[in-house]
Amino acid sequence: EPEVTQTPSHQVTQMGQEVILRCVPISNHLYFYWYRQILGQKVEFLVSFYNNEISEKSEIFDDQFSVERPDGSNFTLKIRSTKLEDSAMYFCACQRETLNEQFFGPGTRLTVL
Amino acid sequence: QKEVEQDPGPLSVPEGAIVSLNCTYSNSAFQYFMWYRQYSRKGPELLMYTYSSGNKEDGRFTAQVDKSSKYISLFIRDSQPSDSATYLCAMRRNTGNQFYFGTGTSLTVIP
């Protein structure tokens, strides 16, 4: 069964450093998402991406964040200058068509020191 | 008021019990309702996906949506220790793709 994969599984970085989180969505899916989950808190929407552009973003997704689908298979989330409060699990999700269910990857645990 | 409210638990039941998990919401524009299961340090796994009001059954799982009360439920029959996980409700509007999640309910099924 196709699945979403994410790398790395755990990323440790120093405050102020840039990080890139990578996702390989299910191959025939067209809509892509990033969510985050701070430890013990709810899953929060960050951004949705369709047709090579951002279709929707939350107030969390500020200028420090960017997304890219560089080669038709990978979907990346970049945090330009990490802050301590960026420490969280980051989940990639994808969706074959709009109104369908979303499938989540296993997540990347980001720890900012 | 939060968009989606969910009792975080924890909920602990004996094996074989019927489990009832619930969420309430405030936005009447929500039309699609999902239940996800999340094991510790893993991504959410879709269990049930329903549109508008009514019931949907899949094996031991039944999802109910009552839009008039803005209330959704997930029932687990004959609960198993492997059902021990956090259960997340999620919902979305008819337009846009943003999912709104509850905080999750932690369930432990005791053998």
Side-chain angles (χ1 to χ4, degrees):
Chain A
E1 185 173 322
E3 59 181 19
V4 181
T5 59
Q6 289 186 244
T7 53
S9 57
H10 190 189
Q11 173 89 50
V12 181
T13 190
Q14 295 289 325
M15 189 170 59
Q17 294 297 303
E18 174 182 290
V19 295
I20 297 176
L21 311 182
R22 292 183 167 79
C23 169
V24 179
I26 297 171
S27 63
N28 61 347
H29 286 208
L30 301 177
Y31 297 81
F32 312 106
Y33 305 84
W34 283 102
Y35 291 83
R36 79 171 184 193
Q37 186 177 31
I38 296 170
L39 187 63
Q41 298 186 24
K42 66 179 181 180
V43 175
E44 298 175 291
F45 170 81
L46 293 178
V47 66
S48 62
F49 191 85
Y50 170 71
N51 201 24
N52 283 319
E53 60 183 23
I54 291 173
S55 50
E56 201 170 346
K57 61 182 180 179
S58 72
E59 59 190 25
I60 302 169
F61 194 88
D62 61 22
D63 291 345
Q64 293 299 311
F65 292 88
S66 63
V67 290
E68 196 176 36
R69 188 159 158 80
D71 56 12
S73 62
N74 291 284
F75 180 50
T76 62
L77 174 70
K78 182 192 291 186
I79 310 175
R80 259 178 277 281
S81 177
T82 50
K83 302 186 284 287
L84 295 176
E85 54 266 36
D86 293 328
S87 295
M89 282 288 284
Y90 287 81
F91 294 108
C92 171
C94 62
Q95 187 179 29
R96 190 166 58 85
E97 297 172 2
T98 190
L99 305 183
N100 282 16
E101 58 266 42
Q102 294 184 9
F103 295 89
F104 282 74
T108 292
R109 178 168 299 280
L110 176 65
T111 302
V112 182
L113 302 175
Chain B
Q1 183 182 12
K2 293 180 183 177
E3 297 242 41
V4 182
E5 301 261 14
Q6 185 175 8
D7 185 342
L11 184 62
S12 185
V13 301
E15 183 175 354
I18 296 174
V19 176
S20 173
L21 304 166
N22 311 293
C23 285
T24 60
Y25 61 96
S26 57
N27 191 339
S28 57
F30 288 142
Q31 297 282 344
Y32 296 87
F33 305 92
M34 283 71 64
W35 285 96
Y36 285 85
R37 177 174 61 197
Q38 186 177 26
Y39 293 111
S40 180
R41 297 179 181 262
K42 300 290 185 185
E45 170 196 358
L46 181 70
L47 286 175
M48 302 287 280
Y49 182 79
T50 55
Y51 171 70
S52 196
S53 283
N55 293 1
K56 184 175 182 178
E57 189 173 317
D58 184 0
R60 295 185 296 111
F61 297 90
T62 300
Q64 284 186 352
V65 175
D66 182 350
K67 290 190 67 185
S68 62
S69 303
K70 297 190 181 70
Y71 188 87
I72 69 171
S73 301
L74 178 71
F75 298 96
I76 307 174
R77 289 185 299 281
D78 186 25
S79 55
Q80 303 295 308
S82 57
D83 295 330
S84 298
T86 296
Y87 289 80
L88 309 171
C89 64
M91 45 200 78
R92 54 164 290 183
R93 301 184 300 267
N94 214 18
T95 56
N97 282 311
Q98 183 172 349
F99 278 29
Y100 296 83
F101 281 83
T103 52
T105 299
S106 175
L107 170 68
T108 300
V109 180
I110 302 167

